Amino acid sequence: MVSVTSTTVAALGVAGIAALFAIVYWDARRIEMGRPRLWAAVASGAAAVGLALYLFVPTAPMTGVIMTSNTGLVLYTFEREVSTEEDDPADPGWLPNDSAGGGKTLESTGSSGESSEPSSDAGKERV
């Protein structure tokens, strides 16, 4: 006999997976990502596999079920971030996050990325 709890989880899970498909598809089209149906299928397909593991494999560890369910959505968000980045060309003459340049070039830094110039707090003790 099927319990009411597993029936409720299955119904809510299927509804959640359908909503996930619709949201990912809408978002992928909104930001003009390539193949929005594929990304929606990847995100919702992984969630469906996680739901199936939860419902039909009682010995599956919960951490594995959660990781499986999240995999598609994580892949989608990584790809979303990459596709929405600015396409500014790299400028090898300046350090990253230094809008004005600040006089630091790659030649004036050491191998660790630290400036070769002495620090103003060199003699101060750190707490």
Side-chain angles (χ1 to χ4, degrees), residues 52-122:
L53 283 173
Y54 178 76
L55 292 173
F56 303 120
V57 183
T59 59
M62 190 54 65
T63 53
V65 171
I66 293 169
M67 292 291 288
T68 302
S69 296
N70 289 336
T71 300
L73 197 55
V74 168
L75 290 174
Y76 170 71
T77 55
F78 286 156
E79 182 63 25
R80 183 184 193 282
E81 173 133 359
V82 168
S83 68
T84 58
E85 283 181 342
E86 304 252 345
D87 290 334
D88 293 335
D91 185 5
W94 303 104
L95 293 173
N97 301 327
D98 193 12
S99 60
K104 291 184 183 180
T105 62
L106 292 176
E107 290 80 25
S108 69
T109 60
S111 62
S112 66
E114 295 293 324
S115 176
S116 59
E117 300 170 5
S119 173
S120 62
D121 64 341

Side-chain angles (χ1 to χ4, degrees), residues 15-54:
I17 290 167
L20 179 64
F21 183 92
I23 291 169
V24 169
Y25 180 72
W26 169 79
D27 185 58
R29 287 193 61 194
R30 183 179 64 88
I31 63 170
E32 298 177 354
M33 273 181 70
R35 300 182 180 185
R37 275 192 208 111
L38 176 65
W39 284 110
V42 166
S44 61
V49 170
L51 178 65
L53 283 173
Y54 178 76

